[in-house]
Amino acid sequence: MRAHPDSFAVDPALFADLPALPGIYRFFGEQDELLYVGKSINLRQRVKSHFSARHRDKKEGRLCHLTRRIEHQVTAGELGALLLENREIKQRQPIFNRRQRRYRQLHTWRLETDIHGFLVPVLYRPLVDDDGWQQDSYGLFRSPRQAKNLLDSKVRDAGLCPRICGLEAGRQGACFAYQLGRCKGACCGRKTRDSHNQRLQETLEDQHIHAWPYSGMLVIREESRQQTDYHLIDQWCHLTTLQRQPESAAITPDANASFDLDSYRMLIRFLDQGVAHFVLT
């Protein structure tokens, strides 16, 4: 009869070489299958917390019961751990991590000005077209249908004109949504062009992806007593991390390096907090 997952004895050798430093850790099973990838600013403490929680959490109990060995990789700081964990989960798909996919064909909205001065959302593929993130964009979607569903919901909730926003056919007079009381009337002069443009930008703000503001490759420096990491970023894409300062932008990116929305949000947060960085032209 097999022991209950939360009643087994923990082998202290699992934690023997885990440092109290930032980085990522990997749990492996009986057949050396990758079970879980996690990150922490204190690897030893975080890994031990999984085993401490095995008595009260069924998922933790099963994970710990199946774990046969643990690997770790030290980083200079929290950002490096976040970027590395995010990439490994999406590329390696560990069994116990929540499934996260990295999509190659992504769509986003850009705002362009029509001949009447109205801002109009235009669908754009940032990973296919050549100029990357040279212009502010809004949202990241797996398909045009998903993108249009979100825009339609935003336009309807804000009382914007779906015809001006490219969601309804027709050229003159009040749009059909106005007749139903869903449009506030920018199409027929009830609302000004400027107020409609401002309202559109405001309602899309929670989906905002900033234009790439740098004239070259961004290098973010993280330092600890043990090491210094240099995270190389271009067009909001984490290309690679080096342990030496790069002297030029001629570097080889990691395999499968591409734009990732979660990484983008991490980078924005740390840059807003004033993380050390410089630009390689």
Side-chain angles (χ1 to χ4, degrees), residues 21-268:
L21 296 172
I24 70 164
Y25 56 92
R26 309 175 187 95
F27 286 10
F28 292 89
E30 186 76 43
Q31 305 299 320
D32 218 33
E33 68 276 23
L34 182 59
L35 300 175
Y36 185 80
V37 173
K39 55 91 181 51
S40 179
I41 58 173
N42 186 324
L43 288 167
R44 186 175 183 82
Q45 184 180 72
R46 179 67 184 103
V47 170
K48 282 190 167 184
S49 74
H50 284 284
F51 289 84
S52 298
R54 73 187 189 280
H55 302 292
R56 59 181 181 272
D57 187 293
K58 289 183 178 180
K59 183 179 177 181
E60 292 280 31
R62 188 161 184 270
L63 171 61
C64 296
H65 182 64
L66 294 172
T67 297
R68 295 296 178 266
R69 70 180 182 91
I70 299 172
E71 282 184 355
H72 72 274
Q73 184 172 338
V74 171
T75 61
E78 183 184 7
L79 176 58
L82 286 165
L83 291 171
L84 185 56
E85 179 204 37
N86 180 63
R87 176 172 290 182
E88 290 224 354
I89 289 173
K90 289 176 180 174
Q91 287 183 358
R92 303 181 68 177
Q93 297 287 302
I95 295 169
F96 279 80
N97 287 95
R98 182 172 62 86
R99 287 288 182 264
Q100 300 181 41
R101 293 184 62 187
R102 176 169 284 171
Y103 295 92
R104 294 295 181 183
Q105 298 291 334
L106 292 173
H107 301 77
T108 188
W109 292 109
R110 284 183 170 181
L111 298 181
E112 298 185 1
T113 306
D114 70 7
I115 59 173
H116 304 293
F118 283 101
L119 292 176
V120 179
V122 176
L123 207 54
Y124 170 76
R125 297 179 300 169
L127 304 185
V128 176
D129 299 324
D130 292 335
D131 62 342
W133 300 95
Q134 299 299 326
Q135 183 177 330
D136 284 6
S137 304
Y138 299 88
L140 203 60
F141 311 97
R142 297 187 297 272
S143 67
R145 180 178 180 179
Q146 185 188 44
K148 289 177 181 178
N149 285 344
L150 179 128
L151 181 61
D152 183 68
S153 175
K154 292 278 190 183
V155 166
R156 185 173 58 251
D157 291 347
L160 294 166
C161 177
R163 192 177 70 205
I164 291 173
C165 294
L167 297 172
E168 181 182 307
R171 294 186 178 182
Q172 294 182 345
C175 69
F176 184 63
Y178 178 77
Q179 298 173 44
L180 297 177
R182 296 175 183 170
C183 166
K184 294 185 178 178
C187 49
C188 56
R190 298 281 183 171
K191 290 289 181 179
T192 66
R193 177 191 60 199
D194 290 344
S195 67
H196 190 273
N197 288 346
Q198 181 179 351
R199 184 62 175 153
L200 176 60
Q201 289 175 304
E202 288 173 350
T203 198
L204 291 175
E205 183 57 34
D206 66 338
Q207 302 289 319
H208 194 181
I209 299 173
H210 294 272
W212 178 248
Y214 304 102
S215 58
M217 182 183 295
L218 176 67
V219 182
I220 298 178
R221 184 175 65 248
E222 275 194 303
E223 294 183 83
S224 68
R225 292 182 179 180
Q226 289 72 30
Q227 69 185 65
T228 302
D229 288 345
Y230 297 89
H231 309 300
L232 276 59
I233 316 296
D234 190 30
Q235 296 294 325
W236 299 123
C237 171
H238 174 220
L239 301 178
T240 191
T241 293
L242 305 176
Q243 275 69 56
R244 55 176 175 76
Q245 181 167 328
E247 297 178 356
S248 76
I251 60 97
T252 302
D254 291 343
N256 299 315
S258 63
F259 177 86
D260 177 84
L261 187 58
D262 294 319
S263 295
Y264 163 78
R265 289 168 175 160
M266 296 169 195
L267 293 169
I268 288 292

